[in-house]
C-alpha cells in the first residue's frame, strides 16, 4: 500500500522504515488536519499518532481522496471520529498494547521525581549547592496509592507499586479479576480518591470522563496528595487543578499529557514566546513536573508499535480478520 505517515519525527521514520513489510511510505512532519488533508490524495492508507485530528470534515475529504485505512500507531483513539470513519467506509486499526511497562515505568519515574526531588538535587549539586533544605520526601513503602483504571498500563503500574510496598486501591468500572485475586481492592471513585496520597490515572479519555478530575472530585483528595496523569490531558480540568495547587490542597502534579498538547508537544518551542497561559502557569509551580508525552518512548515500545502497525496493514491487505480494529 501507499501509506502517508503524519506527525513524524526522526525516530518514527527510523523505526517505521526498519520494520516496513514492503509498503511505499511517505513521511510528513506535520499533524493531519483539515488544512493539510489534501496531501492524502493518491494514498491508500494513513498512519496517525495522538495529535493527528480526524473529525467528520477530515473524513469526508479522506473518502474523496480514496483512503481506505487508518493505522493508528498508538493505543488511544479519542482524536478519531469513529462514526465518521464508518460513514466514510474507512477502517481504523490501532496498536492496543505496546509495552504497557514503558508508560507504567514513566509514571513511577514521575512519582519518584516529585517525591524525592531528584531533578532539583541534580541542579543543586552541579552548582556546588549541597543543602538538603526543601528536598524532604516521604516513604513509598506503606503509602496509599489510587489507580484509576486497571487495564494494561494500570496493571503494570500495580505490580511496580507492590514492589515498592505501596498499599494500592483502584477504581475501574470493569474490575480486573486477576488483580482482585491478588488482593487488590476496588472502590468508588470518591472512596479511592479520599484514601490515597498518590492518585494515578490510567483510563482512556471518552466523553463520559472528560474532566473527571475537577473542582468537585478534587475535594475528595487528601490535602497534599499527588496527582499523576500519563493517560490523556482531557481527563483533568487544568484551570481547576491549578486552583487546587495554588491553595495547597493538591500537593504535587505530574503530567505527561496536556489537554492542549497538540499545539506544543513533540516540537522545540524554546525560542518562542509561550502564549499558552495554562502551561506557563503550571511551569511556574515548584511541585509540578511536566513531560511531553514520552511515557511510551522506549526502544522496546517503538519496536512493538512499528511491528503491530505493519501486521495491522498486512492483515488488511490479506483480507483476514482485523484483530485491532476500533469502531463505534
Ligand atoms: P486499557 O484499555 O488496557 O485499560 C483501560 C482501563 O480503564 C480499562 O480497564 C477500563 O475498564 C478502564 N476505564 C474506562 N473508563 C474508566 C473510567 N472512567 N474510570 C476508571 N477506569 C476506566 O488501556 P491502557 O493500555 O492501560 O492505556 C490507558 C490509557 O493510557 C490509554 O487510553 C491512553 O490514553 C494512555 N496512554 C498513554 C501513553 C503515553 O505515552 N503517555 C501511551 C499509551 C497509552
Amino acid at each position: 500500500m501507499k501509506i502517508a505517515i503524519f506527525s513524524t519525527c526522526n525516530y518514527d521514520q527510523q523505526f517505521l522504515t526498519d520494520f516496513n513489510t514492503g509498503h511505499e511510505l511517505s513521511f510528513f512532519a506535520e499533524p493531519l488536519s483539515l488544512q493539510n488533508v489534501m496531501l492524502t490524495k493518491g494514498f491508500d492508507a494513513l498512519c496517525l499518532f495522538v495529535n493527528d485530528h480526524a473529525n467528520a470534515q477530515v473524513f469526508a475529504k479522506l473518502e474523496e481522496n480514496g483512503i481506505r485505512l487508518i493505522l493508528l500507531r498508538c493505543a488511544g483513539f479519542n482524536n478519531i471520529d469513529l462514526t465518521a470513519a464508518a460513514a466514510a467506509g474507512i477502517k481504523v486499526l490501532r496498536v492496543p498494547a505496546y509495552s504497557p511497562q514503558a508508560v507504567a515505568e514513566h509514571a513511577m519515574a514521575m512519582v519518584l521525581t516529585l517525591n524525592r526531588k531528584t531533578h532539583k538535587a541534580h541542579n543543586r549539586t552541579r552548582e556546588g549547592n549541597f543543602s538538603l533544605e526543601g528536598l524532604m520526601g516521604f516513604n513509598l513503602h506503606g503509602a496509599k496509592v489510587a489507580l484509576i483504571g486497571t487495564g494494561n498500563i494500570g496493571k503494570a503500574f500495580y505490580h511496580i507499586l507492590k514492589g515498592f510496598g505501596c498499599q494500592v486501591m483502584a477504581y475501574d468500572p470493569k474490575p480486573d479479576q486477576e488483580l482482585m485475586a491478588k488482593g487488590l481492592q476496588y472502590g468508588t471513585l470518591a472512596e479511592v480518591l479520599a484514601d490515597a496520597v498518590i492518585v494515578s490515572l490510567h483510563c482512556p479519555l471518552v466523553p463520559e470522563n472528560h474532566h473527571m478530575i475537577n473542582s468537585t472530585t478534587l475535594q475528595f483528595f487528601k490535602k497534599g496528595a499527588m496527582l499523576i496523569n500519563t493517560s490523556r490531558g482531557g481527563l483533568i480540568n487544568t484551570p481547576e487543578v491549578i486552583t487546587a495547587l495554588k491553595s495547597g490542597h493538591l500537593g504535587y502534579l505530574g503530567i505527561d499529557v496536556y489537554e492542549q498538547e497538540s499545539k506544543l508537544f513533540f516540537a522545540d518551542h524554546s525560542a518562542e514566546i509561550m502564549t499558552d497561559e495554562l502551561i506557563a502557569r503550571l511551569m511556574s509551580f515548584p511541585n509540578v513536573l511536566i513531560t511531553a508525552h514520552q511515557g511510551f518512548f522506549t526502544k522496546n515500545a517503538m519496536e512493538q508499535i512499528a511491528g503491530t502497525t505493519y501486521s495491522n496493514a498486512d492483515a488488511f491487505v490479506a483480507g483476514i480478520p482485523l484483530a485491532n480494529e476500533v469502531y463505534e
Side-chain angles (χ1 to χ4, degrees):
M1 283 190 295
K2 289 179 82 171
I3 307 178
I5 308 178
F6 283 84
S7 295
T8 56
C9 297
N10 289 334
Y11 45 82
D12 298 299
Q13 299 196 13
Q14 184 203 322
F15 281 91
L16 290 168
T17 303
D18 289 352
F19 282 74
N20 187 6
T21 49
H23 301 278
E24 199 179 317
L25 311 179
S26 296
F27 294 103
F28 298 98
E30 65 266 45
L32 176 71
S33 66
L34 191 58
Q35 285 67 45
N36 64 13
V37 69
M38 77 287 268
L39 293 172
T40 64
K41 206 169 172 56
F43 289 94
D44 304 300
L46 306 185
C47 180
L48 304 181
F49 196 47
V50 293
N51 291 324
D52 292 299
H53 287 287
N55 58 18
Q57 283 174 295
V58 170
F59 271 110
K61 295 280 179 206
L62 294 180
E63 186 181 10
E64 263 174 50
N65 289 352
I67 298 299
R68 294 178 294 139
L69 176 67
I70 294 208
L71 297 160
L72 290 173
R73 53 181 198 280
C74 53
F77 46 87
N78 53 290
N79 49 332
I80 307 294
D81 184 334
L82 294 176
T83 312
I90 298 173
K91 297 269 184 211
V92 180
L93 306 183
R94 66 170 179 149
V95 182
Y98 47 90
S99 189
Q101 288 77 17
V103 184
E105 287 170 16
H106 189 71
M108 184 45 107
M110 298 196 101
V111 169
L112 289 170
T113 306
L114 282 167
N115 177 16
R116 304 305 294 267
K117 304 166 183 72
T118 44
H119 55 319
K120 294 183 187 183
H122 174 71
N123 287 340
R124 280 190 194 182
T125 55
R126 283 166 69 91
E127 297 202 345
N129 175 355
F130 301 99
S131 157
L132 299 185
E133 289 297 339
L135 297 185
M136 191 164 64
F138 58 89
N139 279 12
L140 286 180
H141 190 94
K144 289 189 173 171
V145 181
L147 286 181
I148 312 302
T150 52
N152 292 308
I153 297 170
K155 196 181 287 190
F157 196 36
Y158 169 82
H159 289 116
I160 293 173
L161 291 165
K162 290 308 281 181
F164 274 81
C166 298
Q167 291 183 49
V168 188
M169 306 154 289
Y171 166 70
D172 190 314
K174 291 185 188 150
D176 183 278
Q177 300 305 319
E178 189 192 319
L179 292 181
M180 283 174 83
K182 287 184 175 167
L184 176 63
Q185 290 203 339
Y186 284 85
T188 63
L189 182 63
E191 279 167 356
V192 301
L193 293 181
D195 220 17
V197 292
I198 299 170
V199 174
S200 193
L201 308 182
H202 300 289
C203 52
L205 173 65
V206 289
E208 299 75 55
N209 65 11
H210 182 240
H211 288 181
M212 72 188 290
I213 304 299
N214 54 40
S215 56
T216 306
T217 49
L218 280 161
Q219 283 173 18
F220 300 131
F221 278 57
K222 261 192 195 329
K223 184 170 164 46
M226 179 187 296
L227 173 63
I228 303 289
N229 186 8
T230 56
S231 284
R232 284 293 179 268
L235 291 172
I236 69 177
N237 180 322
T238 309
E240 292 176 8
V241 163
I242 288 174
T243 303
L245 284 164
K246 279 163 75 176
S247 72
H249 183 64
L250 188 63
Y252 313 78
L253 174 70
I255 52 170
D256 186 46
V257 286
Y258 172 58
E259 194 164 14
Q260 283 77 35
E261 70 177 51
S262 58
K263 295 188 216 110
L264 293 170
F265 284 11
F266 307 122
D268 180 0
H269 298 285
S270 57
E272 298 165 16
I273 304 300
M274 179 58 65
T275 54
D276 184 320
E277 301 291 342
L278 285 182
I279 204 151
R281 185 67 179 99
L282 284 175
M283 290 188 309
S284 75
F285 288 99
N287 50 351
V288 172
L289 179 67
I290 304 170
T291 54
H293 210 135
Q294 71 176 79
F296 73 99
F297 198 44
T298 65
K299 179 176 176 290
N300 319 62
M302 292 298 283
E303 287 172 355
Q304 284 171 352
I305 290 169
T308 307
T309 298
Y310 288 116
S311 58
N312 284 343
D314 296 342
F316 177 81
V317 173
I320 59 177
L322 302 171
N324 296 327
E325 184 174 1
V326 282
Y327 41 81
E328 263 306 83

Short mmCIF file of all heavy atoms in Angstrom, two decimals, residues 260-306:
data_model
loop_
_atom_site.label_atom_id
_atom_site.label_comp_id
_atom_site.label_asym_id
_atom_site.label_seq_id
_atom_site.Cartn_x
_atom_site.Cartn_y
_atom_site.Cartn_z
N GLN A 260 -4.16 20.70 25.80
CA GLN A 260 -3.83 21.48 24.60
C GLN A 260 -2.47 21.08 24.03
O GLN A 260 -1.79 21.88 23.38
CB GLN A 260 -3.83 22.98 24.91
CG GLN A 260 -5.23 23.59 25.01
CD GLN A 260 -5.92 23.24 26.32
OE1 GLN A 260 -5.28 23.14 27.37
NE2 GLN A 260 -7.22 23.04 26.28
N GLU A 261 -2.05 19.83 24.29
CA GLU A 261 -0.68 19.44 23.92
C GLU A 261 -0.42 19.45 22.42
O GLU A 261 0.73 19.59 22.00
CB GLU A 261 -0.35 18.05 24.49
CG GLU A 261 -1.10 16.90 23.83
CD GLU A 261 -0.67 15.54 24.41
OE1 GLU A 261 -0.66 15.38 25.64
OE2 GLU A 261 -0.36 14.64 23.59
N SER A 262 -1.47 19.34 21.59
CA SER A 262 -1.23 19.22 20.15
C SER A 262 -0.53 20.45 19.59
O SER A 262 0.17 20.37 18.59
CB SER A 262 -2.52 18.93 19.40
OG SER A 262 -3.44 19.95 19.64
N LYS A 263 -0.68 21.62 20.29
CA LYS A 263 -0.02 22.84 19.79
C LYS A 263 1.43 22.92 20.27
O LYS A 263 2.18 23.79 19.85
CB LYS A 263 -0.77 24.08 20.29
CG LYS A 263 -2.17 24.19 19.73
CD LYS A 263 -2.78 25.54 20.10
CE LYS A 263 -4.26 25.40 20.37
NZ LYS A 263 -4.66 25.56 21.77
N LEU A 264 1.82 22.06 21.22
CA LEU A 264 3.12 22.21 21.87
C LEU A 264 4.03 20.99 21.77
O LEU A 264 5.21 21.11 21.42
CB LEU A 264 2.91 22.47 23.37
CG LEU A 264 2.25 23.78 23.78
CD1 LEU A 264 1.92 23.74 25.26
CD2 LEU A 264 3.18 24.95 23.49
N PHE A 265 3.46 19.82 22.07
CA PHE A 265 4.32 18.65 22.31
C PHE A 265 4.92 18.12 21.00
O PHE A 265 4.40 18.34 19.93
CB PHE A 265 3.52 17.55 22.99
CG PHE A 265 3.27 17.80 24.48
CD1 PHE A 265 3.53 19.04 25.05
CD2 PHE A 265 2.77 16.81 25.30
CE1 PHE A 265 3.30 19.28 26.40
CE2 PHE A 265 2.52 17.02 26.64
CZ PHE A 265 2.79 18.26 27.20
N PHE A 266 6.01 17.42 21.16
CA PHE A 266 6.78 16.78 20.08
C PHE A 266 7.51 17.79 19.19
O PHE A 266 7.90 17.47 18.08
CB PHE A 266 5.90 15.86 19.21
CG PHE A 266 5.12 14.84 20.00
CD1 PHE A 266 3.74 14.78 19.94
CD2 PHE A 266 5.76 13.93 20.82
CE1 PHE A 266 3.01 13.85 20.68
CE2 PHE A 266 5.06 12.99 21.58
CZ PHE A 266 3.68 12.96 21.49
N ALA A 267 7.67 19.04 19.65
CA ALA A 267 8.41 20.03 18.86
C ALA A 267 9.16 20.97 19.80
O ALA A 267 8.80 21.11 20.97
CB ALA A 267 7.44 20.83 18.00
N ASP A 268 10.22 21.60 19.29
CA ASP A 268 11.04 22.51 20.08
C ASP A 268 10.49 23.94 19.96
O ASP A 268 10.54 24.54 18.89
CB ASP A 268 12.49 22.46 19.56
CG ASP A 268 13.41 23.38 20.34
OD1 ASP A 268 12.95 24.07 21.28
OD2 ASP A 268 14.61 23.43 20.00
N HIS A 269 9.91 24.46 21.04
CA HIS A 269 9.37 25.83 21.03
C HIS A 269 10.23 26.74 21.92
O HIS A 269 9.77 27.80 22.35
CB HIS A 269 7.93 25.84 21.57
CG HIS A 269 6.97 25.03 20.74
ND1 HIS A 269 6.50 25.45 19.53
CD2 HIS A 269 6.43 23.81 20.94
CE1 HIS A 269 5.69 24.53 19.02
NE2 HIS A 269 5.65 23.52 19.86
N SER A 270 11.46 26.32 22.21
CA SER A 270 12.25 27.02 23.22
C SER A 270 12.61 28.46 22.84
O SER A 270 12.89 29.27 23.72
CB SER A 270 13.51 26.22 23.57
OG SER A 270 14.27 25.98 22.41
N ALA A 271 12.60 28.77 21.54
CA ALA A 271 12.96 30.14 21.13
C ALA A 271 11.73 31.02 20.94
O ALA A 271 11.83 32.17 20.51
CB ALA A 271 13.78 30.09 19.84
N GLU A 272 10.54 30.47 21.24
CA GLU A 272 9.30 31.24 21.02
C GLU A 272 8.76 31.78 22.34
O GLU A 272 9.12 31.30 23.41
CB GLU A 272 8.23 30.31 20.41
CG GLU A 272 8.63 29.74 19.06
CD GLU A 272 7.75 28.57 18.65
OE1 GLU A 272 6.66 28.38 19.23
OE2 GLU A 272 8.18 27.83 17.75
N ILE A 273 7.88 32.77 22.22
CA ILE A 273 7.18 33.29 23.41
C ILE A 273 6.05 32.31 23.72
O ILE A 273 5.28 31.95 22.83
CB ILE A 273 6.58 34.69 23.14
CG1 ILE A 273 7.68 35.66 22.67
CG2 ILE A 273 5.83 35.23 24.35
CD1 ILE A 273 8.81 35.88 23.64
N MET A 274 5.96 31.90 24.99
CA MET A 274 4.91 30.96 25.40
C MET A 274 3.58 31.69 25.47
O MET A 274 3.42 32.61 26.28
CB MET A 274 5.29 30.36 26.76
CG MET A 274 4.28 29.39 27.31
SD MET A 274 3.97 27.98 26.25
CE MET A 274 5.56 27.17 26.27
N THR A 275 2.65 31.35 24.61
CA THR A 275 1.36 32.04 24.61
C THR A 275 0.28 31.22 25.33
O THR A 275 -0.82 31.73 25.57
CB THR A 275 0.88 32.32 23.17
OG1 THR A 275 0.88 31.09 22.45
CG2 THR A 275 1.76 33.34 22.48
N ASP A 276 0.60 29.98 25.67
CA ASP A 276 -0.37 29.14 26.39
C ASP A 276 -0.26 29.47 27.88
O ASP A 276 0.67 29.06 28.56
CB ASP A 276 -0.06 27.66 26.11
CG ASP A 276 -1.08 26.72 26.75
OD1 ASP A 276 -1.50 26.99 27.89
OD2 ASP A 276 -1.43 25.72 26.12
N GLU A 277 -1.25 30.24 28.37
CA GLU A 277 -1.17 30.75 29.75
C GLU A 277 -1.27 29.62 30.79
O GLU A 277 -0.69 29.72 31.86
CB GLU A 277 -2.31 31.74 30.03
CG GLU A 277 -2.34 32.96 29.10
CD GLU A 277 -1.17 33.91 29.34
OE1 GLU A 277 -0.55 33.82 30.41
OE2 GLU A 277 -0.89 34.72 28.44
N LEU A 278 -2.02 28.55 30.45
CA LEU A 278 -2.20 27.48 31.43
C LEU A 278 -0.91 26.72 31.66
O LEU A 278 -0.50 26.48 32.80
CB LEU A 278 -3.28 26.50 30.96
CG LEU A 278 -4.73 26.96 31.06
CD1 LEU A 278 -5.65 25.85 30.60
CD2 LEU A 278 -5.06 27.37 32.49
N ILE A 279 -0.22 26.36 30.57
CA ILE A 279 1.01 25.59 30.78
C ILE A 279 2.09 26.50 31.36
O ILE A 279 2.92 26.06 32.17
CB ILE A 279 1.46 24.84 29.50
CG1 ILE A 279 2.34 23.65 29.92
CG2 ILE A 279 2.20 25.72 28.52
CD1 ILE A 279 2.33 22.48 29.00
N ALA A 280 2.05 27.80 31.01
CA ALA A 280 3.01 28.74 31.59
C ALA A 280 2.82 28.79 33.10
O ALA A 280 3.78 28.78 33.88
CB ALA A 280 2.84 30.12 30.97
N ARG A 281 1.55 28.81 33.54
CA ARG A 281 1.27 28.84 34.98
C ARG A 281 1.72 27.53 35.63
O ARG A 281 2.35 27.54 36.70
CB ARG A 281 -0.24 29.06 35.22
CG ARG A 281 -0.60 29.21 36.70
CD ARG A 281 -0.01 30.48 37.25
NE ARG A 281 -0.32 30.73 38.65
CZ ARG A 281 0.50 30.47 39.69
NH1 ARG A 281 1.68 29.91 39.47
NH2 ARG A 281 0.15 30.78 40.91
N LEU A 282 1.42 26.40 34.95
CA LEU A 282 1.83 25.10 35.51
C LEU A 282 3.35 25.04 35.68
O LEU A 282 3.86 24.52 36.67
CB LEU A 282 1.37 23.95 34.61
CG LEU A 282 -0.11 23.58 34.67
CD1 LEU A 282 -0.44 22.51 33.64
CD2 LEU A 282 -0.50 23.10 36.07
N MET A 283 4.07 25.58 34.69
CA MET A 283 5.54 25.51 34.74
C MET A 283 6.11 26.35 35.87
O MET A 283 7.25 26.17 36.27
CB MET A 283 6.14 25.94 33.39
CG MET A 283 5.87 24.90 32.30
SD MET A 283 6.72 25.18 30.73
CE MET A 283 6.34 26.84 30.32
N SER A 284 5.29 27.28 36.40
CA SER A 284 5.80 28.16 37.46
C SER A 284 5.76 27.51 38.84
O SER A 284 6.34 28.03 39.79
CB SER A 284 4.98 29.46 37.48
OG SER A 284 3.72 29.22 38.06
N PHE A 285 5.07 26.36 38.98
CA PHE A 285 4.97 25.72 40.30
C PHE A 285 6.20 24.86 40.58
O PHE A 285 6.62 24.09 39.70
CB PHE A 285 3.74 24.80 40.35
CG PHE A 285 2.42 25.50 40.41
CD1 PHE A 285 1.66 25.66 39.25
CD2 PHE A 285 1.92 25.99 41.60
CE1 PHE A 285 0.43 26.29 39.29
CE2 PHE A 285 0.68 26.63 41.64
CZ PHE A 285 -0.06 26.78 40.49
N PRO A 286 6.74 24.94 41.80
CA PRO A 286 7.89 24.08 42.12
C PRO A 286 7.51 22.62 42.28
O PRO A 286 8.36 21.75 42.22
CB PRO A 286 8.40 24.65 43.45
CG PRO A 286 7.20 25.30 44.07
CD PRO A 286 6.35 25.80 42.92
N ASN A 287 6.21 22.33 42.48
CA ASN A 287 5.75 20.96 42.75
C ASN A 287 5.00 20.37 41.56
O ASN A 287 4.16 19.49 41.72
CB ASN A 287 4.86 20.94 44.01
CG ASN A 287 3.77 22.00 43.96
OD1 ASN A 287 3.77 22.85 43.06
ND2 ASN A 287 2.84 21.95 44.88
N VAL A 288 5.30 20.90 40.37
CA VAL A 288 4.68 20.36 39.14
C VAL A 288 5.79 19.87 38.22
O VAL A 288 6.79 20.56 38.01
CB VAL A 288 3.82 21.44 38.43
CG1 VAL A 288 3.35 20.94 37.06
CG2 VAL A 288 2.61 21.81 39.30
N LEU A 289 5.58 18.68 37.69
CA LEU A 289 6.54 18.09 36.74
C LEU A 289 5.80 17.82 35.43
O LEU A 289 4.75 17.17 35.44
CB LEU A 289 7.08 16.78 37.32
CG LEU A 289 8.08 16.00 36.48
CD1 LEU A 289 9.40 16.77 36.32
CD2 LEU A 289 8.35 14.63 37.11
N ILE A 290 6.35 18.35 34.34
CA ILE A 290 5.70 18.16 33.04
C ILE A 290 6.67 17.44 32.12
O ILE A 290 7.83 17.86 31.99
CB ILE A 290 5.31 19.51 32.40
CG1 ILE A 290 4.41 20.31 33.34
CG2 ILE A 290 4.62 19.29 31.05
CD1 ILE A 290 4.17 21.75 32.89
N THR A 291 6.22 16.36 31.49
CA THR A 291 6.98 15.75 30.41
C THR A 291 6.07 15.74 29.18
O THR A 291 4.84 15.80 29.31
CB THR A 291 7.46 14.32 30.76
OG1 THR A 291 6.34 13.53 31.15
CG2 THR A 291 8.50 14.33 31.87
N ALA A 292 6.67 15.69 28.00
CA ALA A 292 5.92 15.94 26.77
C ALA A 292 5.49 14.64 26.08
O ALA A 292 5.95 14.31 25.00
CB ALA A 292 6.74 16.81 25.83
N HIS A 293 4.59 13.91 26.73
CA HIS A 293 4.02 12.67 26.19
C HIS A 293 5.13 11.68 25.80
O HIS A 293 5.19 11.21 24.65
CB HIS A 293 3.12 12.97 24.98
CG HIS A 293 2.00 11.97 24.84
ND1 HIS A 293 0.70 12.33 24.58
CD2 HIS A 293 1.99 10.62 24.92
CE1 HIS A 293 -0.06 11.25 24.50
NE2 HIS A 293 0.70 10.19 24.70
N GLN A 294 5.98 11.38 26.76
CA GLN A 294 7.09 10.47 26.49
C GLN A 294 6.95 9.13 27.20
O GLN A 294 7.86 8.31 27.16
CB GLN A 294 8.43 11.13 26.86
CG GLN A 294 8.66 11.28 28.36
CD GLN A 294 10.03 11.85 28.69
OE1 GLN A 294 10.25 13.05 28.59
NE2 GLN A 294 10.95 11.00 29.10
N GLY A 295 5.77 8.91 27.82
CA GLY A 295 5.58 7.67 28.57
C GLY A 295 5.86 6.44 27.72
O GLY A 295 6.48 5.47 28.17
N PHE A 296 5.41 6.47 26.48
CA PHE A 296 5.56 5.31 25.59
C PHE A 296 6.98 5.16 25.07
O PHE A 296 7.30 4.14 24.45
CB PHE A 296 4.63 5.49 24.36
CG PHE A 296 5.14 6.54 23.41
CD1 PHE A 296 5.85 6.18 22.26
CD2 PHE A 296 4.97 7.88 23.68
CE1 PHE A 296 6.36 7.15 21.40
CE2 PHE A 296 5.48 8.85 22.82
CZ PHE A 296 6.16 8.49 21.69
N PHE A 297 7.84 6.17 25.26
CA PHE A 297 9.02 6.33 24.42
C PHE A 297 10.22 5.52 24.90
O PHE A 297 11.19 6.05 25.46
CB PHE A 297 9.36 7.83 24.34
CG PHE A 297 10.27 8.19 23.20
CD1 PHE A 297 10.07 7.67 21.94
CD2 PHE A 297 11.34 9.06 23.40
CE1 PHE A 297 10.91 8.01 20.89
CE2 PHE A 297 12.18 9.40 22.37
CZ PHE A 297 11.96 8.87 21.11
N THR A 298 10.13 4.20 24.69
CA THR A 298 11.29 3.34 24.91
C THR A 298 11.55 2.60 23.60
O THR A 298 10.65 2.46 22.76
CB THR A 298 11.06 2.30 26.02
OG1 THR A 298 10.02 1.40 25.61
CG2 THR A 298 10.68 2.95 27.35
N LYS A 299 12.76 2.10 23.46
CA LYS A 299 13.15 1.35 22.26
C LYS A 299 12.21 0.14 22.09
O LYS A 299 11.72 -0.12 20.99
CB LYS A 299 14.61 0.89 22.45
CG LYS A 299 15.18 0.08 21.35
CD LYS A 299 16.65 -0.19 21.67
CE LYS A 299 17.29 -1.10 20.63
NZ LYS A 299 16.78 -2.47 20.72
N ASN A 300 11.92 -0.53 23.21
CA ASN A 300 11.08 -1.72 23.17
C ASN A 300 9.69 -1.38 22.65
O ASN A 300 9.13 -2.09 21.82
CB ASN A 300 10.93 -2.33 24.57
CG ASN A 300 12.24 -2.30 25.33
OD1 ASN A 300 12.77 -1.22 25.59
ND2 ASN A 300 12.76 -3.45 25.65
N ALA A 301 9.12 -0.27 23.16
CA ALA A 301 7.77 0.11 22.74
C ALA A 301 7.77 0.53 21.27
O ALA A 301 6.85 0.18 20.53
CB ALA A 301 7.25 1.24 23.62
N MET A 302 8.79 1.27 20.84
CA MET A 302 8.84 1.71 19.43
C MET A 302 8.90 0.51 18.50
O MET A 302 8.27 0.51 17.43
CB MET A 302 10.06 2.62 19.20
CG MET A 302 9.98 3.97 19.89
SD MET A 302 8.59 4.98 19.34
CE MET A 302 9.20 5.57 17.77
N GLU A 303 9.63 -0.53 18.89
CA GLU A 303 9.71 -1.75 18.06
C GLU A 303 8.34 -2.42 17.98
O GLU A 303 7.90 -2.85 16.92
CB GLU A 303 10.74 -2.72 18.65
CG GLU A 303 12.16 -2.25 18.45
CD GLU A 303 13.20 -3.09 19.18
OE1 GLU A 303 12.83 -4.01 19.94
OE2 GLU A 303 14.39 -2.81 19.00
N GLN A 304 7.65 -2.48 19.14
CA GLN A 304 6.33 -3.12 19.15
C GLN A 304 5.31 -2.31 18.36
O GLN A 304 4.48 -2.88 17.64
CB GLN A 304 5.84 -3.32 20.59
CG GLN A 304 6.57 -4.48 21.26
CD GLN A 304 6.27 -4.56 22.75
OE1 GLN A 304 5.67 -3.67 23.32
NE2 GLN A 304 6.71 -5.62 23.37
N ILE A 305 5.38 -0.99 18.48
CA ILE A 305 4.45 -0.13 17.73
C ILE A 305 4.63 -0.35 16.23
O ILE A 305 3.66 -0.55 15.49
CB ILE A 305 4.67 1.37 18.09
CG1 ILE A 305 4.21 1.64 19.52
CG2 ILE A 305 3.94 2.28 17.11
CD1 ILE A 305 4.62 3.01 20.06
N ALA A 306 5.88 -0.31 15.78
CA ALA A 306 6.14 -0.48 14.33
C ALA A 306 5.71 -1.87 13.89
O ALA A 306 5.03 -2.02 12.86
CB ALA A 306 7.63 -0.24 14.04
#
